[in-house]
Amino acid sequence: MSNIEGKVVIITGASSGIGEATAKRLADDGAKVVLGARREEKLEQIANEIEADGGTAAYQKLDVTVQEENDAIVELAKSTFGGVDAIFLNAGIMPTAPLSAMKTDEWHQTVDVNVKGVLNGVAAVLPTFTEQESGHVIATSSVAGLKAYPGNAVYGGSKWFVRNFMEVLRMESAQEGTNIRTATIYPAAVNTELLNSISHEGSAEAMEGLYEQHGISPERIANVVAFAIDQPDDTNVNEFTVGPTTQPW
Ligand code: NDP
């Protein structure tokens, strides 16, 4: 039996791309998945597809910037499936633009979703993981969280934050003996709906060209999440950089 089977896994940003692919992959491996994102009709469709394939899924509208909605999806996992074993903090936006374009609303929105969304998700689940002395927090950072890219000052900063936060979470839970595992994923170009969040024309065009040339399928990232969860409970595989073999940047 795999170490995924029977686990209750909450996935944020589950309505498309990496989150959707991961939900389907984990459900195939026997996890009970709890899907959250703002587009409820997409969640319903994905949950139906999972159930039609013999999997188990629940879903609820979730805006990760709202603490109460993060708390509510943890409650949904408990009331529907009896607990929560893992959370995949994956919701994110990438409104790439040069700073000189002064898209200050997007700067703040990026921090709200990519940084505060992760804080809110962890705040919702950490008391449960601490009390039960087990749990798994997985987060989607980015290669932009490992190196700097022009156009991604704020996005990259939000993803550098995720790296630091996840590493300290890992160290503190080890110090405290709460057995909470962590995994941080650093994807490069993956073909999803992410580029739709770019409003700056020049940036959108440049990114679309790169993704068309190099982008890989979100199932590749789902494989890595499944690998992390499937490890024995005493083993924490912590960081994964995953991208197209052909991507030179
Ligand atoms: P998608 O745009 O396909 O998916 C993003 C998901 O985040 C959607 O489900 C969206 O759902 C959700 N989301 C956005 N804002 C919120 C919010 N406020 N509350 C809840 N959910 C929200 O792109 P990806 O699958 O690519 O993105 C997933 C993660 O991967 C992101 O964190 C992204 O930064 C990261 N990443 C992606 C890379 C790539 O090349 N694709 C590379 C590196 C990192 P909805 O709109 O329904 O709320």
Side-chain angles (χ1 to χ4, degrees), residues 15-16 18 38-39 63-64 90 155 159 188 190 192-193 211:
S15 61
S16 62
I18 292 169
R38 293 165 305 171
R39 287 171 295 173
D63 183 335
V64 293
N90 167 74
Y155 176 78
K159 296 301 190 179
V190 181
T192 65
E193 297 180 13
Y211 275 62

Side-chain angles (χ1 to χ4, degrees), residues 67-206:
Q67 180 66 59
E68 296 72 35
E69 296 190 15
N70 290 270
D71 298 342
I73 203 159
V74 172
E75 282 313 310
L76 176 73
K78 289 179 179 176
S79 60
T80 312
F81 298 129
V84 51
D85 299 297
I87 190 164
F88 182 28
L89 303 166
N90 167 74
I93 55 169
M94 186 182 72
T96 304
L99 292 168
S100 58
M102 286 297 290
K103 294 197 173 275
T104 53
D105 286 350
E106 292 182 352
W107 301 353
H108 292 291
Q109 211 187 345
T110 302
V111 171
D112 284 345
V113 178
N114 296 7
V115 176
K116 292 189 183 171
V118 168
L119 296 178
N120 292 340
V122 167
V125 85
L126 194 56
T128 302
F129 284 180
T130 303
E131 195 191 334
Q132 70 194 20
E133 295 194 345
S134 71
H136 203 160
V137 181
I138 303 155
T140 316
S141 176
S142 167
V143 287
L146 296 171
K147 39 188 177 175
Y149 292 99
N152 271 339
V154 181
Y155 176 78
S158 75
K159 296 301 190 179
W160 283 74
F161 164 83
V162 171
R163 182 181 201 201
N164 180 79
F165 182 85
M166 291 292 287
E167 176 62 359
V168 175
L169 174 62
R170 184 193 69 75
M171 294 165 114
E172 289 185 356
S173 53
Q175 283 173 345
E176 293 168 7
T178 47
N179 305 309
I180 299 167
R181 297 195 293 170
T182 56
T184 310
I185 325 260
Y186 303 91
V190 181
N191 290 324
T192 65
E193 297 180 13
L194 193 67
L195 303 189
N196 295 347
S197 60
I198 305 178
S199 69
H200 182 260
E201 253 176 50
S203 301
E205 248 170 58

Side-chain angles (χ1 to χ4, degrees), residues 188-189 214-216 220 242-249:
H214 297 290
I216 53 173
R220 306 292 188 267
V242 195
T245 307
T246 61
Q247 182 175 329
W249 35 282

Side-chain angles (χ1 to χ4, degrees), residues 13-90:
S15 61
S16 62
I18 292 169
E20 175 182 357
T22 304
K24 289 178 172 168
R25 166 63 201 264
L26 295 178
D28 274 352
D29 287 349
K32 297 166 187 163
V33 292
V34 182
L35 317 180
R38 293 165 305 171
R39 287 171 295 173
E40 212 175 340
E41 66 294 345
K42 293 272 295 180
L43 297 179
E44 183 183 11
Q45 182 198 327
I46 293 162
N48 286 341
E49 286 169 16
I50 288 172
E51 300 263 347
D53 281 346
T56 306
Y59 68 91
Q60 187 158 291
K61 189 225 158 220
L62 166 67
D63 183 335
V64 293
T65 67
V66 181
Q67 180 66 59
E68 296 72 35
E69 296 190 15
N70 290 270
D71 298 342
I73 203 159
V74 172
E75 282 313 310
L76 176 73
K78 289 179 179 176
S79 60
T80 312
F81 298 129
V84 51
D85 299 297
I87 190 164
F88 182 28
L89 303 166
N90 167 74

